[in-house]
Amino acid sequence: MASTEIARQAGEGARAVPLAGHVGFDSMPDQLVNKSVNHGFCFNILCVGETGLGKSTLMDTLFNTKFEGEPTQHNQPGVTLKSNTYELQESNVRLKLTVVNTVGFGDQINKEDSYKSIVEFIDAQFEAYLQEELKIKRTLHSYHDTRIHACLYFIAPTGHSLKSLDLVTMKKLDSKVNIIPIVAKSDAISKSELAKFKIKITSELVSNGVQIYQFPTDDESVAEINSTMNSHLPFAVVGSTEEVKIGNKMVKARQYPWGTVQVENENHCDFVKLREMLIRVNMEDLREQTHTRHYELYRRCKLEEMGFKDTDPDSKPFSLQETYEAKRNEFMGELQKKEEEMRQMFVQRVKEKEGELKEAEKELHEKFDRLKKLHQDEKKKLEDKRKSLDDELNMFKQKKTAAELLQNQAQQAGGSTTLKRDKERKNFF
């Protein structure tokens, strides 16, 4: 803390001194430009809108190229985000462009959670950058920054008012990304209807507290044009990669039976205004706003959740080491408390299990005794039955023997009677 206070005082005590001659550090802007050009730039655009509003076509038109992609069907079960990164070069400036499209947005019957996957995606990019920052060995100079710098929110040209889905989604996103609302396919409604529609959109955004990106007016070189363009939001755009011959030159346009809509004609749509504000004037400010405002908000909330803070209860500076030690002690205390709770719970569970096992063992013994007694009773019954059957068998045998004896005696008696009759018969004759 002492070194921090000394550094702060040294910064406050700096005084201006004149130079006696040319030194050369006025070339630092040129050095910065050369270094930036050699390193290249990155820019990430999120396109949010219902299927069929011309998101891919507008991207092709903005960057004057044909990006890869297939038309999305209206039968997606949920909202998914598809990210594609491209290497572009204009003159000697290289740009790594990432275009993220919301596939299936607004196609479901229940649209209540349509915004959640978008919020989760944006937070995931913030979290990846934060994790890279918190590493001991960081490689931020070569890290591919995937944080969303601009969100082009495509509004359907209904001519009436914003849908509840649009209001809810923009409200959830306004603290996480720079939102630039645009009326897609603005050639679908008349000029008078379009003017009323833009006023209605602005009124609804203000009344619902939706914070859209405002082009900065603090830089004098762009303050006038940005202030003028802020009054034109939301931009009413038309996208097309088809070239049509108008007069003696080829221009990007959309042909209809009633006429031709020129994409780069400011009397027909606001495409040129969007391109100027998004790419040619404020691209760096969008990158800066993403880092200094939206990412810093996410980082602060995340670090506060982790227990880090800038000051202690007495409003004194709080060093990172002290914060780490305090958080570590708190974590170790909670860990020991949980270990003790788990140990007590384990002992309690063991006792309960032992009681259950003893009760089960007792029931098994009782069941065994019952079965043993039942077996003995059945055995005794069988023995009694067997004894009874043996007695009956012996009695039957005795009766049989007596019957056979009587039968033999009867046969012997019958034989002697026959002989006696034969003798009497002989004597008679």
Side-chain angles (χ1 to χ4, degrees):
M1 288 194 299
S3 59
T4 305
E5 183 67 19
I6 292 173
R8 186 180 62 81
Q9 292 176 358
E12 291 178 352
R15 60 190 181 91
V17 294
L19 300 178
H22 182 262
V23 177
F25 58 78
D26 58 350
S27 67
M28 286 194 68
D30 297 330
Q31 297 176 35
L32 182 60
V33 168
N34 294 332
K35 185 176 180 181
S36 298
V37 169
N38 291 333
H39 184 265
F41 301 89
C42 73
F43 192 67
N44 307 318
I45 300 177
L46 171 65
C47 298
V48 181
E50 298 177 2
T51 305
L53 288 180
K55 299 187 290 295
S56 300
T57 303
L58 184 64
M59 289 297 102
D60 295 344
T61 312
L62 272 174
F63 292 93
N64 200 20
T65 186
K66 179 64 177 177
F67 295 122
E68 301 173 358
E70 297 179 356
T72 305
Q73 302 300 322
H74 288 268
N75 55 359
Q76 301 295 326
V79 181
T80 57
L81 280 86
K82 186 177 180 181
S83 176
N84 292 301
T85 302
Y86 309 95
E87 292 281 354
L88 307 179
Q89 183 166 347
E90 187 175 35
S91 298
N92 64 333
V93 178
R94 291 180 294 108
L95 176 67
K96 182 178 286 188
L97 176 68
T98 300
V99 179
V100 184
N101 193 10
T102 53
V103 180
F105 182 78
D107 289 343
Q108 297 74 38
I109 296 176
N110 184 3
K111 303 177 178 62
E112 184 178 355
D113 297 333
S114 295
Y115 68 88
K116 287 187 178 179
S117 57
I118 304 174
V119 172
E120 290 171 359
F121 178 85
I122 296 173
D123 286 345
Q125 312 317 307
F126 285 153
E127 182 64 24
Y129 193 88
L130 178 61
Q131 292 301 321
E132 183 65 27
E133 270 193 341
L134 295 177
K135 285 182 179 178
I136 296 176
K137 187 177 180 181
R138 301 187 297 180
T139 55
L140 290 174
H141 63 282
S142 60
Y143 176 75
H144 179 206
D145 186 5
T146 57
R147 296 174 297 175
I148 300 299
H149 300 125
C151 171
L152 296 182
Y153 197 97
F154 289 69
I155 301 170
T158 61
H160 300 293
S161 61
L162 285 172
K163 299 179 182 179
S164 58
L165 173 63
D166 297 329
L167 285 172
V168 170
T169 304
M170 282 193 276
K171 185 63 179 176
K172 294 293 182 181
L173 297 180
D174 65 356
S175 62
K176 298 179 178 294
V177 69
N178 302 310
I179 299 176
I180 302 176
I182 59 177
V183 179
K185 295 186 175 181
S186 61
D187 54 341
I189 54 178
S190 65
K191 277 192 173 182
S192 59
E193 289 176 338
L194 181 59
K196 293 177 182 178
F197 189 40
K198 292 173 70 171
I199 295 172
K200 181 69 173 176
I201 291 172
T202 304
S203 174
E204 289 186 346
L205 291 176
V206 172
S207 62
N208 286 277
V210 178
Q211 300 292 325
I212 63 173
Y213 174 73
Q214 294 291 317
F215 303 118
T217 56
D218 50 354
D219 185 354
E220 294 182 358
S221 61
V222 294
E224 184 178 353
I225 185 173
N226 280 349
S227 178
T228 303
M229 290 303 165
N230 280 330
S231 63
H232 282 83
L233 287 172
F235 294 133
V237 299
V238 177
S240 176
T241 56
E242 298 178 5
E243 291 193 346
V244 179
K245 189 173 183 180
I246 304 293
N248 296 325
K249 61 180 181 179
M250 301 295 292
V251 297
K252 290 184 173 63
R254 298 183 69 89
Q255 284 187 313
Y256 295 98
W258 46 262
T260 303
V261 177
Q262 299 178 35
V263 172
E264 296 180 332
N265 188 334
E266 295 191 47
N267 293 322
H268 292 182
C269 69
D270 296 334
F271 173 79
V272 173
K273 295 182 177 67
L274 173 64
R275 185 178 61 190
E276 289 289 325
M277 292 298 97
L278 179 67
I279 300 175
R280 299 182 180 179
V281 179
N282 297 302
M283 180 179 278
E284 181 56 31
D285 184 73
L286 286 164
R287 287 159 40 91
E288 184 180 342
Q289 284 290 321
T290 298
H291 183 77
T292 59
R293 180 187 170 195
H294 301 297
Y295 171 68
E296 283 299 320
L297 176 61
Y298 177 85
R299 178 178 175 274
R300 185 178 76 240
C301 294
K302 204 68 177 178
L303 292 179
E304 287 176 353
E305 288 179 7
M306 297 167 63
F308 294 97
K309 56 185 74 173
D310 293 330
T311 57
D312 59 14
D314 298 329
S315 298
K316 295 180 180 179
F318 214 62
S319 70
L320 183 63
Q321 182 178 356
E322 291 176 349
T323 304
Y324 172 77
E325 290 294 335
K327 195 66 181 176
R328 184 177 182 276
N329 293 334
E330 181 183 351
F331 174 76
M332 293 302 295
E334 291 179 357
L335 183 62
Q336 291 177 357
K337 183 179 178 181
K338 287 183 178 180
E339 286 180 352
E340 180 64 22
E341 290 176 355
M342 291 180 67
R343 189 186 67 79
Q344 293 178 358
M345 186 182 296
F346 176 75
V347 172
Q348 182 67 24
R349 291 278 181 87
V350 169
K351 289 181 179 179
E352 291 175 357
K353 199 65 178 177
E354 286 179 350
E356 292 175 1
L357 291 174
K358 287 180 179 179
E359 188 68 25
E361 184 179 5
K362 182 180 178 182
E363 291 178 358
L364 286 174
H365 280 301
E366 291 177 353
K367 186 175 181 180
F368 175 75
D369 293 339
R370 288 196 304 270
L371 291 175
K372 184 177 180 181
K373 187 175 181 302
L374 182 63
H375 175 69
Q376 290 175 351
D377 293 341
E378 291 292 332
K379 185 177 180 181
K380 185 178 179 182
K381 288 179 181 179
L382 289 174
E383 289 177 352
D384 293 342
K385 190 71 174 175
R386 181 180 179 183
K387 185 178 179 182
S388 176
L389 290 173
D390 288 341
D391 292 342
E392 289 180 2
L393 182 60
N394 291 332
M395 186 177 293
F396 174 74
K397 287 180 179 180
Q398 290 176 4
K399 288 182 178 180
K400 182 180 179 182
T401 304
E404 289 176 350
L405 181 60
L406 289 173
Q407 186 178 3
N408 291 334
Q409 288 177 356
Q411 288 178 354
Q412 290 176 4
S416 60
T417 304
T418 305
L419 289 173
K420 186 176 180 181
R421 287 178 181 173
D422 289 342
K423 281 184 180 183
E424 288 178 351
R425 223 178 258 164
K426 286 179 181 181
N427 290 334
F428 178 74
F429 292 106

